[in-house]
Amino acid sequence: RRRKYVCKCNGKVMTCAGPDKLIPGGRYSTEFAVHVAERKYLDHMPLARQQREMERKGLVVETQTLWDQLDALAKALHPTYIEVGSMVQAQPVRHADETPWRMLSGGKKRWQVWGLATADAVWYRIADSRSAKAAAELVGDLGGVLVTDGYGAYKKLARDGPDVVLAGCWAHARRKYVEVEEQHPKEVEEILDLIGQLYAVEREVPTGRIK
């Protein structure tokens, strides 16, 4: 709500400036769009449920309008998304992984979410394949160390890519030993203890306490 002021002579009307808006001429502020995005993507609240909640509080709005706000917010944030990707790709050590992403309708049903992570950021890409080409698009062409599981696309990337060095993920190696622990308890106990010592060292590294 914005107050409107009128002088006593009724010769001048003043209204305070409205908030910045993602959609020129639209009703809703940038903060409103961010609020809708937070509720949907952080709190997992569907837009239809948000619409009913807003209506109970006196704001009548259509779910399509909420989608329009999210679309405008995505366009505004896209340059930042690209910059985050470039920053993550440029780091000397990165972690990479992928997981299936199902589409609700139309075209190919099974896509992939690829993730590239560093100590302070994670960058995601959605691609329609789990190929070495998709892995290369995720990692970029700057080389460096790539921590992954044993998936073949990363191995091909290391063979054909620009100076990519693969580092195996200890969590994946440890998992295999846990699976046979019942059959070989003594041997597995020793190996898990050694891996645990590696984890202990890793926990010390960010704090600077390693001598």
Side-chain angles (χ1 to χ4, degrees), residues 8-177:
K8 291 182 179 180
C9 67
N10 208 28
K12 186 174 184 180
V13 179
M14 292 186 63
T15 304
C16 63
D20 293 334
K21 298 175 181 178
L22 286 173
I23 301 176
R27 293 181 59 192
Y28 303 103
S29 67
T30 302
E31 288 81 359
F32 178 81
V34 171
H35 175 73
V36 172
E38 286 177 340
R39 300 299 297 280
K40 177 171 174 59
Y41 298 111
L42 297 181
D43 301 331
H44 306 287
M45 180 177 283
L47 295 183
R49 192 178 303 168
Q50 292 191 48
Q51 184 266 337
R52 292 194 298 270
E53 181 185 56
M54 292 175 185
E55 187 174 6
R56 287 196 303 271
K57 295 179 179 179
L59 175 60
V60 179
V61 61
E62 300 295 331
T63 53
Q64 181 60 53
T65 301
L66 300 183
W67 272 117
D68 292 342
Q69 294 296 311
L70 293 181
D71 182 64
L73 184 63
K75 288 182 171 66
L77 291 176
H78 189 260
T80 302
Y81 167 78
I82 297 299
E83 286 299 317
V84 170
S86 299
M87 180 193 73
V88 173
Q89 289 176 334
Q91 299 305 305
V93 179
R94 295 141 300 161
H95 298 250
D97 202 2
E98 77 293 329
T99 192
W101 181 277
R102 290 194 175 276
M103 301 295 287
L104 293 178
S105 62
K108 189 172 182 179
K109 298 291 185 181
R110 190 180 179 91
W111 289 52
Q112 298 289 325
V113 177
W114 294 79
L116 193 66
T118 63
D120 56 2
V122 183
W123 188 58
Y124 296 101
R125 292 186 76 255
I126 297 179
D128 62 355
S129 76
R130 198 169 173 240
S131 65
K133 179 184 177 184
E137 291 172 350
L138 173 78
V139 174
D141 57 2
L142 298 179
V145 176
L146 193 63
V147 183
T148 72
D149 56 16
Y151 181 47
Y154 301 116
K155 296 178 181 178
K156 187 175 189 305
L157 185 64
R159 289 195 305 267
D160 305 338
D163 301 322
V164 172
V165 177
L166 287 187
C169 171
W170 273 109
H172 286 82
R174 184 181 185 279
R175 183 187 306 166
K176 299 299 182 182
Y177 290 107

